[in-house]
Amino acid sequence: METLTLTQAAAGLASGELTAVQLTATALAKIADQQGEGARTFTHVYGDWARQQALAADRRRAAGNPLSVLDGVPVSVKDLFDVAGEATTAGSRVLADAPVASAHAAVVARLLQAGAVVIGKTNMTEFAYSGLGINPHYGTPANPWDRSARHIPGGSSSGAAVAVADGMGFGAIGSDTGGSVRIPAAFCGLTGYKPTARRINRSGLLPLSPSLDSIGVIAHDVAGCIALDTAIADLPLRPQQKILSQARFAVPQTLVLEGLDDEVTAAFHLSLQRLTQAGAQIEFIPCQEFAELARINAAGGFSALESWRWHQSLMAKQADGYDPRVLSRIRRGQWLDEQDLQQLQLLRADWQRRAALTVQGFDALLMPTVPFIAPTIAELERDDDAYFRINGAALRNPSVINFLDGCALSLPCQAPGAAPVGLMIAGLPLQDEALLGWALAVECCLADV
């Protein structure tokens, strides 16, 4: 049977055709399947607790009192959100004996208040510090596309994407510091939404870089992302599908179109063609500000500086327990001080102001989420040079939006049967509601084959 989307699962619960107990049992069975990716996708599985949550959800529906449209829908959370009573390990081994969380992270509490069944914590790049999803401690879950070849899932929210793709949950909560929700969504043929960071309460989130961290969601489609965002946001949105004939979109020519492989080039330009045929006005613009980011972040940027501050005492005791590729990136921050942080903040504010002036007349920016289709796990595990080169390229386009403090969504744009390719639709800070309305329209247009 084809995997249900989140909205289909919610509709089945609302109509009485499905029960939360059934959905949860199916998801847990897929996680436990030894022929599947469950053991590499989850770091914690809440079997008994999930069944209890599901039973309570069914009782509420039977009494006519569901908590929300998500009541009874199994979802996962990334392994850097606190769940009360256990250590938050963030895809690492060095935090296995850390003090247990005294309370749920804000977004976990919000999910439970909405009645969603929190089924487990998903695997990730250690401490969220890579866009590839490779984890030497817990294994790397394989991308659902061409699974026998074992392509990377993307990261850092690797398990989040594979869990949704394989029906081990109907939606996932992840984090996105430089693309960590959008990259795995793009590689795995899913939809990933990075909201304006301030819209979501980040308490109980183990940080990578507080200046850039966002909490985002992954689902099969835009509607699923909206439903998840509604559950976890402080101020829920009410996006309405826009009319493409009224759209004015911009395609930046600087940086984000460089080095595209043939598959991404074909899918991206076909998407632009179809949007134009639907009446959207699309303009290619220089956007020279994007070329400045490499210089601004040359010493490591916020991620290296802020992650070093969080990790330095832990690394002094347990550096040999880290993924060496993560360790080396964090250590770049040891040479950066408070003056460097203040300089970064000034440069970012000036850059944001100028970039916003360049794009403010457009309804959204369009660009490839990642410039290539997913490479294999094996080729990156064995080659450090390839790992760092491909990681930098994967993060390049999404990280522009984090530095902008904007909002963005990646949705699939490949031809049927082809390798997954993501189309990123992005907007300025707090333009989330309009952005999601445009995303609904773009999704509808690209699905109309």
Side-chain angles (χ1 to χ4, degrees), residues 51 74 103 134 155 172 198 210 228 247 266 299 329 354 375 384 388-389 425:
R51 294 183 189 96
I134 291 174
R198 73 197 82 163
L228 289 167
R329 297 187 75 200
R354 291 183 289 109
D384 277 359
F388 287 112
R389 174 175 50 80
I425 310 169

Side-chain angles (χ1 to χ4, degrees), residues 176-178 194-198 202 205-215 297 300-307 309 338 340-346 348-349 352 399-406 429:
D176 189 310
T177 306
K194 173 235 173 301
T196 305
R198 73 197 82 163
R202 286 179 281 174
L205 166 73
L206 194 153
L208 169 59
S209 173
S211 294
L212 301 171
D213 290 342
S214 303
I215 294 173
N297 294 305
F302 289 107
S303 293
L305 189 155
E306 293 177 332
S307 64
R309 290 186 172 188
E338 186 64 26
D340 293 303
L341 177 59
Q342 292 175 7
Q343 179 69 5
L344 274 171
Q345 290 169 338
L346 288 172
R348 185 189 190 191
Q352 287 176 335
S399 64
V400 171
I401 308 305
N402 295 79
F403 205 76
L404 186 63
D405 191 28

Side-chain angles (χ1 to χ4, degrees), residues 24 47 58 103 157 196 288 302 318 325 351:
T24 301
D58 284 337
S157 307
T196 305
Q288 296 289 352
F302 289 107
Q318 299 190 63
R325 291 164 166 175
W351 182 90

